[in-house]
Amino acid sequence: APATSTNEPGDEDAASPANLVTPVQLRSGYNYLTKYGFLPKPNPLAGSLLSHEEFNEGIRAFQEFYRLPVTGVLDQSTSSLMELPRCGLPDIMP
Amino acid sequence: RRYAHTGAKWDRREITWKIRNYSPDLTTSEIIDALRNALQIWGDAIPNTFRRVHVGSADIEISFSVGLHQDDYPFDGPGGTLAHAFFPGDDLGGDAHFDDDEQFTVNAYEGTNLFIVAAHEFGHSLGLGHSSEITSLMAAFYQGYKPNYELPYDDHVGIQSLYGARQGSIPSLPDVPIAGAPPGPPRPDLPVPNTPEPGPDPHCANSYNAIAKIRGELMLFKGKSFWRMNMKGEPLEGYPIDTSRFWDQLPVKLDAAYERIDDKILFFKGSSYWEYFSTNRDPSFPHPIRELGLPDDIDAALPWGDTGKTYFFKGDLYWRYDEIKKEVDSGYPKKVADNWDSAVPSNMDTAFRFIDVETKTWYTYFVRSKKYWRFDESRGKVDKGYPRSFSEDWMGC
């Protein structure tokens, strides 16, 4: 009988000290992920406290979308793609 | 990964466009030419036409502005966001705005190439979202100046899924490569051959050489023609078209075709096979099929999901090929009747898998001449009531 489907689980790297980012990078990363649809827009009435895990989730979504290694941290390849000039529309439509 | 639709599209063939103002970076005619060429890159793929208007409103209104301008999305100075556009609709719908803090150029690697930015934004104006295929025009990032630009495969597929394919023919290349000739897409500057019109109803061909699921869509090949089907298994408008309009020097009268687990597309004919990356042929092919450990020619190829296994059929036998180990699994060939179902035809024309979008059930379909058999993978049996007429059930004949 035909073989059944097997999925390999992706291997999720934990954030490593080498990838710690500065508050400025964190803020611009957050703005970028929010602007282009990888993080929900903050609710202006309720403020926007974002957990570290949510931020990593946004990075992971960006990395998956563009087939980067899914590390969940703002590593070199991720931030260099984010620095490229680009179209102003979101990547993921609300 | 591929193109994305937004659900919005223009419901008329002729789409109007208008330039509201000009950037000081270029002459007026440079801007007009760049924008016209950017629209035409889409116009070459779909039946729609673009007419420039000078007064009144237009579907696509183009303007150059800096910082805060007449929408809620202010530009951000040099770099960063270069432009944005709105999906088809009223008012701002379809409009494209360019950040005039950029230094727009034409036909040059320096600065920001207006043509490529405009071509991307007009993709939005026609209803496409951002593609995750990084090499496509609709990827979000600036791609730089590219001379002799051709619409990439992913964008071609995407826009034709919205508006159908442009009728008319583009000169076809010889189906056997001329020794030493560089591969490449069709050259529109060649005279158009007077190819005879296909028969009375091209959808109702008696049989098909190969049917394959490529980038999520069913593609049917017969002779020199090919069809594309939508997710419901209905032929896309404007098809069949000449394979040379889409594929780079694809042989005619194929035996089999399939998309491999690494996204490469393989075509088989006689004792040779070819490997393509999207629509571009790997120049190191053809190779002999025999190098895969298969017989000299095959009837059908059937990739099995993401297992990395591909089944090849010939006569009443089948082989299971391991794409990772690049060899036929031991113990093959085996008899189709013994391991699939005795109802599965020998000497088939083609085989493919397709999911029934309503019931979310995967079926394997075996096609021979005008008939097809539906194999229920969960039961391991051909369903009752088969074979049925392929053209009637699938092509609406």
Side-chain angles (χ1 to χ4, degrees):
Chain A
T4 53
S5 169
T6 52
N7 277 330
E8 297 296 325
D11 35 355
E12 311 274 355
D13 282 344
S16 68
N19 287 314
L20 281 183
V21 291
T22 64
V24 168
Q25 282 172 322
L26 210 59
R27 164 56 60 190
S28 73
Y30 169 77
N31 289 344
Y32 188 99
L33 293 169
T34 307
K35 178 176 180 178
Y36 295 114
F38 296 97
L39 279 177
K41 283 209 179 355
N43 176 346
L45 300 176
S48 63
L49 269 182
L50 187 70
S51 73
H52 199 68
E53 185 40 42
E54 280 169 314
F55 180 70
N56 289 352
E57 206 42 53
I59 291 178
R60 205 170 279 127
F62 176 82
Q63 289 165 339
E64 270 178 19
F65 191 91
Y66 284 113
R67 275 198 216 165
L68 295 173
V70 180
T71 61
V73 296
L74 206 54
D75 53 32
Q76 184 56 49
S77 59
T78 305
S79 44
S80 37
L81 198 58
M82 285 183 175
E83 281 153 19
L84 285 179
R86 56 165 290 159
C87 170
L89 255 66
D91 298 331
I92 297 181
M93 292 303 150
Chain B
R1 298 292 182 183
R2 56 183 203 177
Y3 61 83
H5 289 162
T6 58
K9 63 174 281 204
W10 300 102
D11 56 10
R12 47 189 175 275
R13 280 290 166 92
E14 185 184 74
I15 299 168
T16 55
W17 60 289
K18 174 182 163 187
I19 303 175
R20 296 169 66 97
N21 68 339
Y22 292 85
S23 164
D25 303 348
L26 298 163
T27 65
T28 305
S29 60
E30 283 174 332
I31 290 175
I32 293 168
D33 287 348
L35 297 175
R36 177 177 291 118
N37 292 339
L39 280 167
Q40 198 50 45
I41 208 83
W42 297 106
D44 287 346
I46 57 177
N48 299 72
T49 55
F50 299 98
R51 181 166 63 83
R52 185 174 168 217
V53 297
H54 298 277
V55 289
S57 68
D59 299 319
I60 300 175
E61 301 209 356
I62 296 150
S63 55
F64 294 83
S65 27
V66 294
L68 194 59
H69 52 285
Q70 80 268 36
D71 60 30
D72 294 335
Y73 307 97
F75 285 134
D76 55 358
T81 300
L82 305 178
H84 54 225
F86 295 84
F87 302 119
D90 299 330
D91 304 324
L92 277 178
D95 291 0
H97 302 166
F98 296 83
D99 182 352
D100 217 355
D101 275 330
E102 313 303 339
Q103 184 60 38
F104 286 109
T105 55
V106 290
N107 302 324
Y109 293 100
E110 301 74 28
T112 302
N113 181 260
L114 177 58
F115 162 77
I116 200 82
V117 174
H120 172 97
E121 298 308 329
F122 293 155
H124 292 316
S125 303
L126 292 170
L128 287 179
H130 281 159
S131 170
S132 50
E133 173 56 59
I134 205 82
T135 60
S136 70
L137 174 60
M138 290 314 292
F141 305 103
Y142 175 66
Q143 308 190 26
Y145 168 58
K146 290 182 179 175
N148 306 319
Y149 190 71
E150 291 268 341
L151 192 65
Y153 171 82
D154 181 68
D155 308 283
H156 212 114
V157 171
I159 201 68
Q160 287 191 343
S161 302
L162 273 179
Y163 294 97
R166 165 171 289 279
Q167 278 296 340
S169 60
I170 291 180
S172 50
L173 296 171
D175 67 350
V176 175
I178 300 165
R187 290 182 36 220
D189 55 344
L190 290 176
V192 176
N194 51 358
T195 45
E197 280 300 312
D201 187 340
H203 285 335
C204 299
N206 285 333
S207 65
Y208 297 91
N209 300 134
I211 298 175
K213 194 140 181 285
I214 297 174
R215 304 291 195 269
E217 286 186 356
L218 264 188
M219 296 194 175
L220 293 82
F221 299 84
K222 177 174 175 66
K224 209 169 174 30
S225 299
F226 105 105
W227 289 256
R228 281 171 54 211
M229 314 283 265
N230 64 21
M231 299 301 274
K232 289 204 221 76
E234 297 151 345
L236 277 194
E237 197 189 317
Y239 282 84
I241 61 172
D242 202 39
T243 56
S244 61
R245 274 212 69 230
F246 206 82
W247 306 93
D248 172 15
Q249 305 179 63
L250 188 70
V252 300
K253 296 197 180 74
L254 298 168
D255 290 326
Y258 75 97
E259 181 177 27
R260 198 166 59 191
I261 193 166
D262 60 354
D263 292 345
K264 295 281 178 60
I265 303 163
L266 278 74
F267 295 102
F268 294 76
K269 177 181 179 179
S271 61
S272 302
Y273 75 104
W274 288 258
E275 205 176 276
Y276 279 63
F277 181 70
S278 82
T279 58
N280 298 308
R281 172 152 103 167
D282 180 330
S284 70
F285 284 79
H287 289 191
I289 297 181
R290 200 160 271 287
E291 74 176 22
L292 301 173
L294 296 170
D296 258 345
D297 75 42
I298 59 169
D299 297 333
L302 181 67
W304 200 258
D306 55 5
T307 64
K309 304 282 186 185
T310 302
Y311 293 95
F312 289 92
F313 298 83
K314 171 68 185 164
D316 62 351
L317 297 176
Y318 75 100
W319 288 254
R320 190 174 77 186
Y321 183 83
D322 187 309
E323 299 286 0
I324 314 297
K325 287 189 229 157
K326 298 198 179 310
E327 59 185 19
V328 171
D329 285 340
S330 60
Y332 288 87
K334 295 179 178 176
K335 279 221 177 275
V336 171
D338 294 347
N339 291 282
W340 291 73
D341 181 340
S342 55
V344 172
S346 56
N347 302 308
M348 62 185 74
D349 290 331
T350 187
F352 60 96
R353 295 179 77 214
F354 201 67
I355 187 169
D356 179 317
V357 287
E358 261 91 67
T359 61
K360 296 273 182 288
T361 308
W362 279 95
Y363 294 99
T364 296
Y365 295 88
F366 297 101
V367 184
R368 187 177 68 193
S369 182
K370 297 178 193 175
K371 299 286 181 197
Y372 78 100
W373 290 255
R374 190 173 79 175
F375 176 84
D376 184 333
E377 295 177 5
S378 54
R379 291 189 309 118
K381 285 277 175 225
V382 168
D383 283 338
K384 278 198 183 46
Y386 286 88
R388 298 171 53 85
S389 160
F390 186 85
S391 292
E392 279 174 30
D393 286 0
W394 287 82
M395 307 303 278
C397 297

